[in-house]
Amino acid sequence: MGEERVKEEALRLMGQLETLPRLVVFDLDYTLWPFYCECRSKREMPSLYPHAKGILYALKDKGIDVAIASRSPTPDIAKTFLDKLGFQSIFVAQEIFSSWTHKTEHFERIYRRTGVPFESMLFFDDENRNIISVSKMGVTSILVDDGVNLEEFRSGLEKFSLNNSPSNTNTEVDGENT
């Protein structure tokens, strides 16, 4: 599926939901691109997962802010790759640094920079430990297996919408609302 078709499908998915995130945050390594930055050279031309670019452009067209949260020990390479891909300007925040605190410190900085509450954020990452720690902050978080794609994007949007729907105030016990 080409970039334009991915973008159209992502826009269609967003159009089906009442509640959308104000900010979508992506990890880089094995989420937007299929490698670790520290294993690459600045001289190389990076590539994204097949659906990543279309999803990013759909979010931009829809007016939803996008940010990066990456625990990379080589932020210089990551930023060079974002430049080469023409994406530097698309992100409202780029928190790319090595950290022992999973992604919580990255999200604290993103919040300070954007003012967007954690509950209004959607996050995609390939590491379960990051999904767990960031979810505890109130961020809707989606684990990706082989990079972000339309199926995981749809899943994230639906989970976000469900987490933020007015009817979410009911609790479920044994599959029944109480």
Side-chain angles (χ1 to χ4, degrees):
M1 184 180 284
E3 172 189 326
E4 193 59 36
R5 289 194 54 210
V6 170
K7 178 180 156 187
E8 289 171 12
E9 179 62 13
L11 284 166
R12 189 188 69 73
L13 291 169
M14 288 186 279
Q16 293 178 332
L17 298 165
E18 264 185 56
T19 309
L20 293 172
R22 286 180 46 199
L23 177 68
V24 179
V25 183
F26 294 93
D27 172 48
L28 290 174
D29 298 343
Y30 289 97
T31 301
L32 284 183
W33 51 51
F35 53 83
Y36 289 115
C37 285
E38 62 265 31
C39 299
R40 303 293 288 267
S41 161
K42 285 184 185 182
R43 294 183 304 275
E44 294 178 57
M45 184 61 192
S47 61
L48 296 171
Y49 280 108
H51 293 176
K53 188 182 255 185
I55 289 169
L56 289 170
Y57 283 134
L59 288 165
K60 182 179 180 185
D61 282 6
K62 192 72 172 172
I64 296 173
D65 287 334
V66 184
I68 295 293
S70 177
R71 290 187 315 114
S72 176
T74 55
D76 55 326
I77 293 174
K79 289 176 183 179
T80 297
F81 285 175
L82 290 171
D83 270 340
K84 285 184 174 191
L85 292 164
F87 284 136
Q88 278 286 18
S89 64
I90 200 171
F91 300 107
V92 297
Q94 293 180 35
E95 295 302 331
I96 306 170
F97 58 89
S98 193
S99 170
W100 295 105
T101 61
H102 305 292
K103 295 279 174 88
T104 55
E105 189 178 348
H106 295 77
F107 274 82
E108 292 288 348
R109 289 182 181 197
I110 289 170
Y111 169 73
R112 285 194 301 271
R113 181 167 298 204
T114 65
V116 175
F118 297 131
E119 295 76 18
S120 297
M121 296 181 191
L122 173 60
F123 174 50
F124 294 92
D125 197 311
D126 67 309
E127 290 188 43
N128 197 46
R129 63 186 174 149
N130 294 327
I131 296 299
I132 292 168
S133 64
V134 171
S135 291
K136 289 177 183 174
M137 300 174 81
V139 177
T140 300
S141 303
I142 300 296
L143 181 66
V144 300
D145 278 332
D146 193 22
V148 70
N149 59 43
L150 281 170
E151 183 59 31
E152 286 162 336
F153 185 64
R154 180 195 55 74
S155 175
L157 291 172
E158 288 174 353
K159 184 176 177 184
F160 180 88
S161 185
L162 185 64
N163 288 350
N164 291 279
S165 71
S167 61
N168 194 6
T169 55
N170 293 339
T171 58
E172 279 196 24
V173 177
D174 295 323
E176 295 179 18
N177 285 335
T178 58

